[in-house]
C-alpha cells in the first residue's frame, strides 16, 4: 500500500517522525554500529527521494547518512553513546542551549542541516523538515499510530559574553569557592557521557564537604537530560542546559570541541557545586564534540541571586576553558594541586588581559574628564562661543525634525505639548498660590503664569538645549518667603529688595557663564546628581502632604475647638431629630446651613466630608496618573493608543478629578487657590528707593540664590543630556546659564517670580519625546531609549498655551481643587524616581537576592560595598533634607552650600571607606 504524505514544513523547534514508515525505520532501527550524529541532507527537490516511489528510494539515503559518521565502529556500543547529546547556548563567545531565552537563527553556507532524534547535538533552531514522499505503511496504520512517536523538542540559543575577570567580582568568588571545596576528577576512564556524569555525581556524594542531606543524585542524573521523568523509549535523550565555546569565522561558526560545560538547577540543593572531570582519552560524543577531554558540571539551587545562578557560575569556568593554552596546561597537570595552581594562574592572566582595554577606556574617560586647570576659567567667554558654534548649525533642524521628512512625529509632538502644558501650568498655579500667601498678594497666580509664559518662550527660542523646562520651584518660593520676612523685619520695600536680590543673582550667573564655571559640573558624579534629584522628589512629596494636612486641620479638626454660637444654632435648629450633636460640633465652622421648615430637614456641608474628599482627590489623581503612565506596558488596546494614554496621563488625571471634585461633588466645599486680579502686570520696581546698605545685603542673598541657580540649572541639564537619553545635537551649559541670567533680570525688575531648570519636568519632557524599547536580561525587564526627537516646538507651543491660560482665570482654572494639585506633586515625584540608581539600591535592602537585577554595579561591586555606598548616600541625603526642609528659614538658604560640599565628600572621604574602583563602577552609566 502506498500513501502520499502531504508536504509538511516544521520550523523552529519541532521534529516529527511517523512510526512505521521506512524513513522512521532508517532512523530508529538497531544497527551493528551506533549513529551518534545523523544529518539529513536536502535533495535538490526540497524533499527526501523522488516525488513518487517506494521505500527502496531511501536506500541511497541510508548510505549517505552512515557516511556522516566519522567515529570508530563498535559492534556493541553503549546505548548512552547512541542517544546522548547536548544543546549549546550560543553566547558572544560562548554558545549555550537552554530551555528558556531568546531564539537566534544560524545559517551556514546556505545549506540546512537536519538532525535526527538520535543525534548527539540537535539544533532546534536550524530544523526545517520537509516530507513529501510515498512510503509503504502497514494496512492497519491509523492516525493514532502515526502520531504516537511524535516528539516536540524546544531549544533556545543565546549569546553569553565572556566574563570580565577584572570588573565582575563574582568571577573571582566563583573560583575561590571552587578551590575551597575542589571537586576534581583526573583521568576519568568512562567513555559515555552518562557514565562520566554518574562518576561526577558519585564524587559529589562521597565528598564529605559537598554532602547534601536531602539530595537524590539519581534524580539529578535524570534532570540533566530532556527526557527527565518520562519513559526513555521514544523520547529525545539530550542534555538540557549546556555552554560551549564558539568562534565566528568567515565560513561560519567553529566549536571548541574539547570541553563541555553542563549546568543544572536542582531544588533540593542548598548551595552551588562545581565538578571538573578530565577524561583519560578524548571522547567522540557527536558533531561539535568529537574530542571532549574536559567536562564541567555546575549544580545550583534555583533561588539564587542573578550573579550566582548556575548559568553565571558556568560562564565563569567556560570563560577560563575557552583559552586553548590553558586547556593544554591542564592536560599536563599530574595532581589536583597542580590543577588548582593552573586555575589560579589562568585567573591572573584573564585579569591582566582585561585590565588592558579597561585601562584604555579609563584613559579615554579621564581624557574626557581631565583635571581642571586655572587657565580654562580665565579664557573668558570661550565656553559660550563653543556652545553657540556647536548648536547654531542645527538650530533650523530644531523646528523641522519630526515635521518635515520621512520620520514624522506630529502625533508624539501633540501629546507632548499637552503633557508639557499641564506640567508647566499646574505648578505655576500651585506655587503662584503659595507665593500669593507668602507675599500677601505681591506675587500672585497671575504674575506667576505671565513669568512662566515669557521666560519659557524666550528659553525655547534661544536656548542651546530646548528640552530643558524652566519653572518656578519650591526652593524659589522659599527664598521669596525669606525675602518677605526680611522686608517685614527691617521695613524695606518688598518689590525693590526682591528686584535687587534678583539682579545680584543674575550678575553672579553672568560671571559664572563668562568664566566657564559650568566646567565644575564635571566634578559632580552620577551619585551626587541622584542625591540632589531624589531630594527634589522628596520636596514634592512633602509639599503635597503639608497641603493635605492643612486641609485636614481646617476642615476635619477645626470644629473641635468649639464655637458656642454655632453649637447653639445647631441645637436649636434640630431639637427633635435625634441627631448626635457631638458629630455636628466636630464639623467645620465654615460650612453653610439652611433649614427647610416645611419638612424639618436640613442641608449642611460638613467639613469632614471636605477633608475626606480632598484626600480621595489627591490619591485618585496619583493613582489614575500613574496607572495611565504605566498603561503602555499592558497588553490592552492598540500600541499607539497605549502610548497616547501614557503620554497624556497627567492631563487626563488632573481633568478627571477636577470634574469629580468641582462638579460631581459640587455641594461639598473644596479648597481652591486664591485669585486676585492685578491692576497692572508690568510695573517697574522702585530700585532707587533702597539704601546702599540694603543693596549690599541683597548681594549676599543674591549670591546664595545664584549658587542654587547654578547647581539646579546645570544638574538638570546634565540629567537631561545623560548618555542613556541618546541626545545627538550637543550641549550648551554656558550659553544656557547666561540666557537664564538674562531672563531672570527682566523678571526681577518687573516683580515676576524667578524660573530655572526644573526637575523632574525636564527628564520627563525628554521621555515624552523618546522612542522606548523594552528589553529582557536574565528575566528582568528594563526600558531603553532608542532615539529622541529634539525639537523646540513642544516647549514653544506649551508655554504659549500657558500664556493663553490667563483668559481662563478665574473660570475654569479655579475649578481645579488644591488636592488635585497635591496629587500632581505626588505623581511627579513618583515618576521621577524611575531610573534613579540610588532609589533602586535602597530598594535592594528590602528584596531577596534572587530578585536583584543584573545591573552593572551588581556584577562589578561586592554586595556589602554596594550597601555601604547606599548608606553613605542616604546619610548625605538626610543632611541635605535637614537643611533644605528646616523650619528655620535662614538654614534653608544655605543648603546650596551643602550641595557644593558633596564634591569633597565624594572625592576625599568616600575613597577612604570604599575602594575607588568600586565607587567608579557605581558611578558609571552602564
Amino acid at each position: 500500500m502506498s500513501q502520499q504524505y502531504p508536504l509538511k514544513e516544521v520550523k523552529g523547534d519541532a521534529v516529527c517522525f511517523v512510526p512505521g514508515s521506512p524513513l522512521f525505520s532508517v532512523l530508529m532501527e538497531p544497527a551493528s554500529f551506533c549513529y551518534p550524529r545523523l544529518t539529513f541532507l536536502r535533495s535538490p527537490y526540497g524533499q527526501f527521494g523522488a516525488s513518487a516511489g517506494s521505500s527502496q528510494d531511501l536506500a541511497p539515503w541510508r548510505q549517505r547518512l552512515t557516511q556522516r559518521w566519522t567515529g570508530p565502529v563498535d559492534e556493541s556500543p553503549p546505548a548512552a553513546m547512541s542517544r546522548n547529546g547536548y544543546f549549546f547556548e550560543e553566547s558572544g563567545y560562548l554558545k549555550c542551549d537552554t530551555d528558556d531565552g531568546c531564539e537566534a537563527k544560524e545559517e551556514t553556507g546556505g545549506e540546512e542541516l537536519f538532525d535526527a532524534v538520535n543525534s548527539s547535538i540537535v539544533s532546534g533552531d536550524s530544523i526545517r523538515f520537509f516530507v513529501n514522499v510515498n512510503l509503504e505503511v502497514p494496512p492497519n496504520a491509523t492516525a493514532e499510530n502515526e502520531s504516537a512517536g511524535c516528539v516536540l523538542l524546544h531549544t533556545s540559543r543565546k549569546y553569553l559574553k565572556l566574563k570580565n575577570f577584572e570588573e565582575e567580582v563574582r568571577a573571582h568568588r566563583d573560583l575561590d569557592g571552587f578551590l575551597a571545596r575542589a571537586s576534581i576528577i583526573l583521568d576519568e576512564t568512562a567513555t559515555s557521557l552518562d557514565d562520566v556524569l554518574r562518576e561526577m555525581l558519585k564524587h559529589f556524594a562521597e565528598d564529605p564537604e559537598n554532602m547534601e542531606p536531602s539530595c537524590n543524585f539519581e534524580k539529578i542524573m535524570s534532570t540533566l537530560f530532556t527526557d527527565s521523568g518520562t519513559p526513555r523509549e521514544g523520547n529525545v535523550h539530550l542534555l538540557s542546559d549546556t555552554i560551549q565555546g564558539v568562534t565566528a569565522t568567515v565560513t561560519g561558526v567553529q566549536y571548541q570541541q574539547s570541553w563541555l560545560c553542563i549546568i543544572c538547577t536542582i531544588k533540593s540543593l542548598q548551595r552551588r557545586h562545581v565538578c571538573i572531570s578530565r577524561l583519560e582519552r578524548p571522547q567522540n560524543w557527536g558533531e561539535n564534540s568529537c574530542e571532549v577531554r574536559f567536562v564541567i558540571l555546575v549544580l545550583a539551587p534555583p533561588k539564587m541571586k542573578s550573579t550566582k545562578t548556575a548559568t553565571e557560575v558556568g560562564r565563569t569556568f567556560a570563560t577560563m576553558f575557552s583559552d586553548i593554552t590553558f586547556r593544554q596546561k591542564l592536560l599536563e597537570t599530574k595532581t589536583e594541586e597542580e590543577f588548582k595552581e593552573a586555575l589560579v594562574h589562568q585567573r591572573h592572566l584573564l585579569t591582566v588581559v582585561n585590565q588592558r582595554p579597561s585601562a584604555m577606556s579609563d584613559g579615554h574617560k579621564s581624557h574626557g574628564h581631565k583635571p581642571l586647570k586655572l587657565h580654562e576659567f580665565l579664557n573668558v567667554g570661550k565656553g559660550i562661543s563653543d556652545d553657540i558654534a556647536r548648536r547654531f548649525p542645527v538650530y533650523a533642524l530644531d523646528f523641522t525634525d519630526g515635521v518635515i521628512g520621512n520620520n514624522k512625529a506630529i502625533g508624539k509632538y501633540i501629546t507632548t505639548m499637552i503633557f508639557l502644558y499641564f506640567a508647566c501650568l499646574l505648578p505655576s498655579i500651585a506655587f503662584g498660590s503659595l507665593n500669593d500667601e507668602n507675599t500677601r498678594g505681591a506675587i500672585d497666580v497671575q504674575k506667576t503664569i505671565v513669568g512662566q509664559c515669557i521666560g519659557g518662550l524666550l528659553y525655547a527660542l534661544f536656548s542651546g538645549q530646548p528640552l530643558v523646562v524652566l519653572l518656578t520651584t519650591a526652593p524659589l518660593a522659599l527664598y521669596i518667603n525669606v525675602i518677605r520676612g526680611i522686608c517685614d523685619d527691617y521695613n524695606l520695600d518688598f518689590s525693590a529688595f526682591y528686584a535687587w536680590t534678583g539682579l545680584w543673582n543674575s550678575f553672579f550667573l553672568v560671571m559664572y557663564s563668562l568664566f566657564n564655571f559650568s566646567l565644575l559640573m564635571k566634578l559632580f558624579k552620577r551619585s551626587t546628581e541622584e542625591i540632589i534629584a531624589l531630594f527634589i522628589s522628596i520636596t514634592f512629596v512633602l509639599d503635597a502632604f503639608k497641603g493635605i494636612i492643612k486641609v485636614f486641620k481646617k476642615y476635619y479638626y477645626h470644629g473641635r475647638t468649639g464655637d458656642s454660637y454655632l453649637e447653639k444654632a445647631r441645637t436649636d435648629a434640630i431639637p427633635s431629630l435625634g441627631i448626635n450633636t457631638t458629630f455636628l460640633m466636630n464639623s467645620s465652622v465654615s460650612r453653610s446651613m439652611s433649614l427647610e421648615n416645611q419638612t424639618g430637614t436640613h442641608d449642611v456641608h460638613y467639613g469632614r466630608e471636605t477633608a475626606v474628599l480632598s484626600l480621595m482627590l489627591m490619591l485618585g489623581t496619583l493613582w489614575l496618573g500613574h496607572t495611565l503612565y504605566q498603561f503602555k506596558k499592558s497588553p490592552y488596546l492598540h500600541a499607539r493608543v497605549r502610548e497616547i494614554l501614557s503620554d497624556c496621563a497627567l492631563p487626563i488625571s488632573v481633568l478627571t478629578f477636577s470634574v469629580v471634585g468641582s462638579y460631581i461633588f459640587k455641594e461639598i466645599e473644596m479648597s481652591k487657590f486664591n485669585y486676585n486680579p492685578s491692576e497692572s502686570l508690568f510695573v517697574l520696581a522702585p530700585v532707587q528707593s533702597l539704601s546702599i546698605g540694603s543693596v549690599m545685603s541683597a548681594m549676599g542673598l543674591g549670591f546664595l540664590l545664584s549658587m542654587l541657580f547654578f547647581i539646579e540649572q546645570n544638574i538638570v541639564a546634565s540629567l537631561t543630556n545623560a548618555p542613556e537619553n541618546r541626545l545627538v545635537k550637543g550641549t550648551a551649559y554656558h550659553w544656557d546659564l547666561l540666557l537664564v541670567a538674562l531672563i531672570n533680570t527682566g523678571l526681577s525688575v518687573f516683580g515676576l517670580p524667578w524660573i530655572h531648570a526644573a526637575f523632574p519636568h525636564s527628564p520627563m519632557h525628554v521621555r515624552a519625546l523618546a522612542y522606548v524599547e523594552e528589553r529582557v536580561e536574565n528575566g528582568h525587564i528594563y526600558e531603553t531609549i532608542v532615539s529622541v526627537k529634539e525639537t523646540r516646538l513642544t516647549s514653544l507651543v506649551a508655554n504659549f498655551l500657558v500664556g493663553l491660560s490667563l483668559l481662563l482665570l478665574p473660570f475654569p482654572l479655579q475649578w481645579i481643587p488644591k488636592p488635585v494639585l497635591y496629587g500632581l506633586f505626588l505623581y511627579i515625584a513618583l515618576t521621577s524616581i524611575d531610573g534613579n540608581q540610588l532609589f533602586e539600591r535602597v530598594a535592594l535592602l528590602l528584596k531577596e537576592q534572587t530578585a536583584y537585577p543584573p545591573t552593572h554595579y551588581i556584577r562589578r561591586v561586592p554586595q556589602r560595598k554596594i550597601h555601604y555606598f547606599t548608606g553613605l548616600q542616604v546619610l548625605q541625603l538626610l543632611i541635605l533634607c535637614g537643611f533644605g526642609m528646616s523650619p528655620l528659614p535662614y538654614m534653608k538658604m544655605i543648603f546650596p552650600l551643602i550641595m557644593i560640599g558633596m564634591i569633597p565628600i565624594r572625592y576625599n572621604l568616600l575613597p577612604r571607606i570604599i575602594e575607588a574602583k568600586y565607587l567608579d563602577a557605581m558611578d558609571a552609566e552602564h
Side-chain angles (χ1 to χ4, degrees):
M1 178 178 176
S2 178
Q3 179 175 347
Q4 177 72 29
Y5 284 80
L7 176 65
K8 297 181 181 179
E9 181 178 4
V10 185
K11 296 182 180 179
D13 302 324
V15 186
C16 297
F17 298 106
V18 181
S21 66
L23 177 60
F24 188 81
S25 300
V26 172
L27 301 178
M28 302 301 295
E29 71 170 344
S32 58
F33 56 92
C34 66
Y35 297 87
R37 167 78 176 176
L38 299 179
T39 304
F40 293 110
L41 304 179
R42 268 181 71 185
S43 72
Y45 307 100
Q47 58 192 18
F48 293 102
S51 59
S54 65
S55 61
Q56 294 178 356
D57 296 327
L58 294 175
W61 287 95
R62 181 180 306 192
Q63 298 177 2
R64 296 186 65 180
L65 292 173
T66 57
Q67 289 173 1
R68 294 288 297 175
W69 169 240
T70 57
V73 176
D74 191 341
E75 292 296 327
S76 57
M81 175 176 278
S82 65
R83 298 192 177 191
N84 285 344
Y86 3 88
F87 302 156
F88 297 92
E89 261 177 358
E90 295 183 25
S91 45
Y93 303 99
L94 302 175
K95 184 185 176 195
C96 177
D97 277 351
T98 57
D99 292 334
D100 56 341
C102 56
E103 298 183 357
K105 295 287 182 182
E106 177 186 350
E107 297 180 5
T108 306
E111 293 187 54
E112 294 176 329
L113 302 181
F114 304 93
D115 300 330
V117 89
N118 283 347
S119 167
S120 54
I121 303 175
V122 173
S123 176
D125 291 341
S126 63
I127 294 175
R128 192 183 293 260
F129 205 106
F130 294 93
V131 179
N132 186 19
V133 293
N134 288 334
L135 301 177
E136 300 228 354
V137 296
N140 58 353
T142 62
E144 289 79 3
N145 292 333
E146 290 177 1
S147 61
C150 177
V151 178
L152 299 180
L153 179 63
H154 170 261
T155 68
S156 61
R157 296 175 172 182
K158 60 182 179 182
Y159 284 95
L160 305 175
K161 294 180 181 179
L162 291 172
K163 185 158 281 190
N164 190 321
F165 274 68
E166 194 272 331
E167 292 185 349
E168 300 188 53
V169 294
R170 182 51 56 183
H172 298 272
R173 297 195 172 189
D174 289 341
L175 185 57
D176 291 338
F178 171 75
L179 295 176
R181 303 185 306 271
S183 184
I184 300 173
I185 302 176
L186 300 180
D187 300 328
E188 173 60 52
T189 58
T191 58
S192 70
L193 179 59
D194 283 35
D195 292 341
V196 170
L197 293 176
R198 285 194 176 91
E199 288 298 325
M200 298 174 79
L201 293 176
K202 181 179 178 182
H203 194 270
F204 274 137
E206 295 176 352
D207 190 347
E209 296 184 0
N210 289 330
M211 285 297 290
E212 293 281 355
S214 60
C215 189
N216 186 339
F217 285 96
E218 285 298 326
K219 185 177 180 181
I220 294 178
M221 183 65 190
S222 64
T223 307
L224 293 174
F225 295 90
T226 57
D227 57 349
S228 171
T230 57
R232 216 167 143 157
E233 290 74 20
N235 288 287
V236 183
H237 188 62
L238 305 170
L239 286 171
S240 300
D241 206 343
T242 62
I243 300 177
Q244 189 176 14
V246 295
T247 304
T249 64
V250 292
T251 58
V253 175
Q254 294 183 354
Y255 290 75
Q256 295 181 357
Q257 307 196 32
S258 62
W259 64 276
L260 181 63
C261 181
I262 304 169
I263 56 181
C264 186
T265 56
I266 307 296
K267 292 183 179 180
S268 58
L269 292 180
Q270 297 180 358
R271 61 185 182 183
R272 298 169 298 161
H273 301 278
V274 181
C275 181
I276 300 177
S277 178
R278 187 183 69 186
L279 307 183
E280 186 178 22
R281 292 186 301 272
Q283 298 299 322
N284 189 336
W285 290 336
E287 188 176 354
N288 302 330
S289 294
C290 295
E291 48 180 18
V292 178
R293 288 299 302 270
F294 298 97
V295 179
I296 306 132
L297 177 62
V298 178
L299 306 177
K303 292 288 186 178
M304 296 295 293
K305 185 180 173 182
S306 60
T307 56
K308 297 181 180 179
T309 60
T311 301
E312 287 298 314
V313 177
R315 195 164 69 96
T316 298
F317 289 93
T319 301
M320 302 180 73
F321 275 82
S322 62
D323 186 354
I324 188 173
T325 306
F326 169 65
R327 298 197 299 270
Q328 186 62 34
K329 290 182 180 179
L330 291 182
L331 291 175
E332 298 172 356
T333 58
K334 304 297 183 183
T335 64
E336 288 190 11
E337 292 301 323
E338 294 180 1
F339 200 96
K340 293 180 182 179
E341 291 176 0
L343 288 171
V344 174
H345 181 66
Q346 178 67 6
R347 171 173 63 179
H348 174 71
L349 291 179
L350 287 173
T351 304
V352 172
V353 168
N354 284 318
Q355 278 179 346
R356 293 172 184 171
S358 177
M360 291 175 62
S361 62
D362 289 343
H364 181 268
K365 183 176 180 180
S366 63
H367 177 72
H369 298 278
K370 57 186 177 181
L372 299 175
K373 298 180 180 179
L374 181 60
H375 69 84
E376 297 183 64
F377 299 100
L378 298 179
N379 198 348
V380 179
K382 185 177 186 304
I384 297 175
S385 62
D386 290 344
D387 291 342
I388 295 176
R390 185 185 305 115
R391 289 291 304 189
F392 186 73
V394 296
Y395 183 78
L397 296 177
D398 292 338
F399 294 93
T400 59
D401 283 352
V403 179
I404 301 175
N406 296 327
N407 299 322
K408 294 183 179 179
I410 297 177
K412 181 172 282 292
Y413 283 3
I414 293 175
T415 56
T416 304
M417 291 171 188
I418 297 173
F419 153 75
L420 196 59
Y421 166 67
F422 281 89
C424 293
L425 176 64
L426 298 180
S428 298
I429 294 175
F431 292 119
S433 177
L434 180 61
N435 289 330
D436 189 16
E437 296 175 4
N438 293 336
T439 63
R440 293 188 287 277
I443 299 177
D444 56 9
V445 174
Q446 198 173 8
K447 286 189 174 182
T448 305
I449 292 178
V450 170
Q452 174 63 42
C453 174
I454 295 174
L457 287 174
L458 291 175
Y459 192 84
L461 282 173
F462 303 111
S463 66
Q465 181 48 275
L467 298 184
V468 172
V469 178
L470 297 191
L471 284 174
T472 185
T473 60
L476 295 180
L478 162 68
Y479 266 81
I480 294 174
N481 188 26
V482 171
I483 292 173
R484 181 76 225 191
I486 294 175
C487 292
D488 291 341
D489 293 339
Y490 295 96
N491 296 320
L492 300 176
D493 184 81
F494 172 77
S495 299
F497 194 76
Y498 175 83
W500 273 112
T501 304
L503 291 174
W504 280 116
N505 167 58
S506 298
F507 169 77
F508 287 116
L509 291 179
V510 171
M511 292 297 103
Y512 299 156
S513 60
L514 290 177
F515 289 94
N516 311 317
F517 272 37
S518 291
L519 293 175
L520 292 173
M521 294 309 299
K522 294 180 179 180
L523 301 178
F524 278 84
K525 294 289 189 177
R526 173 174 179 158
S527 56
T528 307
E529 294 175 352
E530 291 185 337
I531 291 173
I532 298 174
L534 197 56
F535 166 76
I536 298 174
S537 299
I538 293 175
T539 60
F540 276 104
V541 175
L542 288 181
D543 288 339
F545 280 105
K546 285 179 181 178
I548 202 66
I549 288 173
K550 286 182 179 179
V551 172
F552 266 75
K553 285 182 178 180
K554 179 179 180 181
Y555 292 99
Y556 196 89
Y557 297 107
H558 184 76
R560 292 187 178 182
T561 60
D563 189 312
S564 57
Y565 176 79
L566 182 62
E567 179 183 352
K568 185 176 184 301
R570 292 177 187 142
T571 306
D572 294 340
I574 46 176
S576 61
L577 297 179
I579 297 178
N580 188 351
T581 56
T582 304
F583 170 77
L584 297 177
M585 288 167 52
N586 292 331
S587 300
S588 171
V589 296
S590 62
R591 81 185 88 185
S592 62
M593 293 199 325
S594 64
L595 299 176
E596 298 181 7
N597 296 326
Q598 294 83 355
T599 60
T601 59
H602 65 286
D603 182 13
V604 180
H605 301 293
Y606 299 118
R608 286 192 169 184
E609 295 176 355
T610 299
V612 173
L613 180 60
S614 298
L615 181 63
M616 293 177 61
L617 291 178
M618 182 185 74
L619 297 180
T621 304
L622 170 64
W623 168 79
L624 181 59
H626 191 261
T627 301
L628 292 178
Y629 179 74
Q630 298 290 336
F631 193 72
K632 57 187 174 183
K633 300 179 181 179
S634 70
Y636 303 105
L637 304 180
H638 190 269
R640 181 56 185 160
V641 177
R642 294 197 302 265
E643 184 179 1
I644 293 175
L645 289 176
S646 179
D647 292 340
C648 298
L650 175 62
I652 291 175
S653 60
V654 169
L655 292 177
T656 300
F657 283 92
S658 295
V659 172
V660 170
S662 298
Y663 182 75
I664 297 179
F665 294 97
K666 59 184 177 182
E667 70 277 4
I668 299 178
E669 179 183 355
M670 294 301 302
S671 176
K672 296 181 172 61
F673 64 87
N674 296 325
Y675 173 68
N676 299 313
S678 303
E679 297 180 359
S680 179
L681 294 177
F682 300 98
V683 178
L684 285 174
V687 292
Q688 71 281 357
S689 63
L690 293 184
S691 63
I692 299 298
S694 299
V695 173
M696 298 309 294
S697 62
M699 182 178 68
L701 290 176
F703 173 74
L704 293 175
L705 184 62
S706 70
M707 299 296 294
L708 174 65
F709 267 77
F710 175 79
I711 295 174
E712 292 274 1
Q713 178 69 32
N714 284 285
I715 284 185
V716 172
S718 178
L719 293 173
T720 303
N721 293 297
E724 57 264 29
N725 290 338
R726 304 183 188 276
L727 303 182
V728 297
K729 293 185 179 179
T731 61
Y733 292 99
H734 311 278
W735 167 250
D736 286 349
L737 189 63
L738 176 63
L739 182 60
V740 168
L742 298 177
I743 291 174
N744 282 278
T745 299
L747 297 178
S748 301
V749 171
F750 289 101
L752 302 177
W754 303 307
I755 58 175
H756 61 58
F759 179 87
H761 303 75
S762 300
M764 291 172 67
H765 185 200
V766 175
R767 192 80 172 185
L769 291 170
Y771 292 95
V772 181
E773 286 184 356
E774 284 190 351
R775 297 179 181 176
V776 180
E777 182 178 353
N778 294 342
H780 293 266
I781 301 176
Y782 67 97
E783 292 183 343
T784 181
I785 293 177
V786 178
S787 64
V788 177
K789 290 294 183 181
E790 301 180 51
T791 181
R792 299 177 185 270
L793 297 178
T794 52
S795 294
L796 276 172
V797 175
N799 285 284
F800 178 73
L801 293 177
V802 169
L804 291 181
S805 299
L806 288 172
L807 303 176
L808 304 179
L809 286 174
F811 177 84
L813 287 184
Q814 264 197 322
W815 269 28
I816 302 177
K818 278 189 176 181
V820 173
L821 299 180
Y822 303 149
L824 164 71
F825 288 167
L826 293 179
Y827 168 81
I828 291 174
L830 184 60
T831 54
S832 67
I833 62 178
D834 282 346
N836 189 295
Q837 195 182 104
L838 172 58
F839 183 82
E840 293 174 354
R841 283 189 274 106
V842 171
L844 293 181
L845 299 173
L846 305 176
K847 295 181 180 180
E848 59 177 350
Q849 291 189 1
T850 55
Y852 281 16
T855 55
H856 64 279
Y857 55 86
I858 292 291
R859 294 183 179 278
R860 299 178 186 178
V861 184
Q863 181 176 325
R864 183 174 301 176
K865 303 290 185 182
I866 293 176
H867 295 327
Y868 284 167
F869 184 66
T870 304
L872 293 171
Q873 278 189 291
V874 171
L875 180 60
Q876 296 178 70
L877 178 61
L878 292 176
I879 294 174
L880 188 60
C881 291
F883 282 87
M885 302 172 188
S886 171
L888 302 176
Y890 294 99
M891 284 189 64
K892 294 181 180 180
M893 298 182 62
I894 65 172
F895 83 91
L897 299 179
I898 305 300
M899 296 182 184
I900 298 293
M902 292 181 181
I903 296 178
I905 292 176
R906 170 61 181 83
Y907 282 91
N908 298 324
L909 180 59
L910 293 186
R912 298 176 183 270
I913 303 174
I914 303 174
E915 292 88 332
K917 63 178 181 179
Y918 295 145
L919 292 176
D920 292 338
M922 285 183 283
D923 275 331
E925 300 296 336
H926 299 289

